[in-house]
Amino acid sequence: MTAPIDFFRYCPRCGAPLPGRERSNRIRCERCGFTYYFSPTVSAAAFVRDASGRVLLLRRANEPAQGKLSLPGGFVDFDETAEQALHRETREEVGIALAEVTYLCSQVNPYTYQEITYPVLDLFFLARAASLDARPLDGAESVCWVAPNAVALDDLSFPSVRAAWQVFLARRETGSPAA
């Protein structure tokens, strides 16, 4: 597995060759003392529900996990909060607005794209659909509304989505008002 940090051979500040490194999340230049910390990329996704409790899923149109089911969401941009990114990504992917957004859980996810594995921190939320006219847009092959218990974990796109799905189901079983 190749991580983004593995591509740094020279200091981004002074250009000096970097020494070998221990497996960590930082590089440190011995010449100028510059230290760069590699942190996870952040994404936000939601369990978007309708009035009957069904959840909106999309089938991914692109790699990674092409053809697998996933939740609306995506990467957080530099100038966004997780909630702002969630609203933007949901509009871009399925064309609907969200209401009553609340935090559910976070999960780590190794996201491999073009042979590089990025560490991602996925933030999962619960939300209500402001409308039911979801349609496949950017990155979505299709969309569907499903009963939560009707989804096989193996059909879901990423380990983080599968783990969050289990948290979501457990909250529903305990009768938590947030789920």
Side-chain angles (χ1 to χ4, degrees), residues 42-46 72-93 98 101 123 125:
V42 180
S43 77
F75 293 110
V76 178
D77 288 341
F78 288 116
D79 60 348
E80 293 180 312
T81 65
E83 293 85 355
Q84 289 169 332
L86 178 63
H87 286 279
R88 176 186 52 76
E89 286 282 351
T90 301
R91 281 190 311 276
E92 289 174 2
E93 290 183 340
L98 301 176
V101 175
L123 305 176
F125 294 84

Side-chain angles (χ1 to χ4, degrees), residues 7-18:
F7 289 95
F8 280 76
R9 305 278 188 263
Y10 300 92
C11 174
R13 178 192 277 164
C14 73
L18 292 171

Side-chain angles (χ1 to χ4, degrees), residues 5 40 48 55 78 90 92 95 100 118 125 150 164 171:
I5 194 172
V48 179
V55 175
F78 288 116
T90 301
E92 289 174 2
E100 300 172 21
Y118 298 89
F125 294 84
R171 291 263 178 103

Side-chain angles (χ1 to χ4, degrees), residues 96-179:
I96 63 170
L98 301 176
E100 300 172 21
V101 175
T102 59
Y103 177 76
L104 175 66
C105 68
S106 64
Q107 301 290 333
V108 294
N109 188 45
Y111 185 88
T112 302
Y113 180 70
Q114 295 184 349
E115 300 177 23
I116 298 173
T117 301
Y118 298 89
V120 178
L121 177 62
D122 290 333
L123 305 176
F124 292 94
F125 294 84
L126 303 171
R128 185 177 54 78
S131 69
L132 302 180
D133 60 344
R135 60 200 182 282
L137 298 170
D138 183 40
E141 178 182 297
S142 61
V143 298
C144 60
W145 293 93
V146 299
N149 291 327
V151 177
L153 289 178
D154 289 343
D155 292 337
L156 296 172
S157 57
F158 301 107
S160 60
V161 175
R162 293 188 286 275
W165 195 271
Q166 291 176 312
V167 171
F168 173 69
L169 291 178
R171 291 263 178 103
R172 288 175 38 106
E173 290 173 8
T174 62
S176 169

Side-chain angles (χ1 to χ4, degrees), residues 13-97:
R13 178 192 277 164
C14 73
L18 292 171
R21 63 175 174 80
E22 296 177 16
R23 298 212 41 94
S24 71
N25 68 329
R26 71 182 182 129
I27 57 172
R28 186 167 194 295
C29 178
E30 292 176 353
R31 181 195 293 170
C32 72
F34 177 75
T35 301
Y36 185 86
Y37 291 90
F38 287 82
S39 300
T41 298
V42 180
S43 77
F47 290 85
V48 179
R49 296 162 295 154
D50 67 7
S52 67
R54 295 179 306 168
V55 175
L56 176 63
L57 291 176
L58 60 91
R59 190 165 302 279
R60 291 180 57 84
N62 305 309
E63 291 295 349
Q66 182 178 12
K68 292 283 194 174
L69 295 172
S70 201
L71 301 168
F75 293 110
V76 178
D77 288 341
F78 288 116
D79 60 348
E80 293 180 312
T81 65
E83 293 85 355
Q84 289 169 332
L86 178 63
H87 286 279
R88 176 186 52 76
E89 286 282 351
T90 301
R91 281 190 311 276
E92 289 174 2
E93 290 183 340
V94 296
I96 63 170

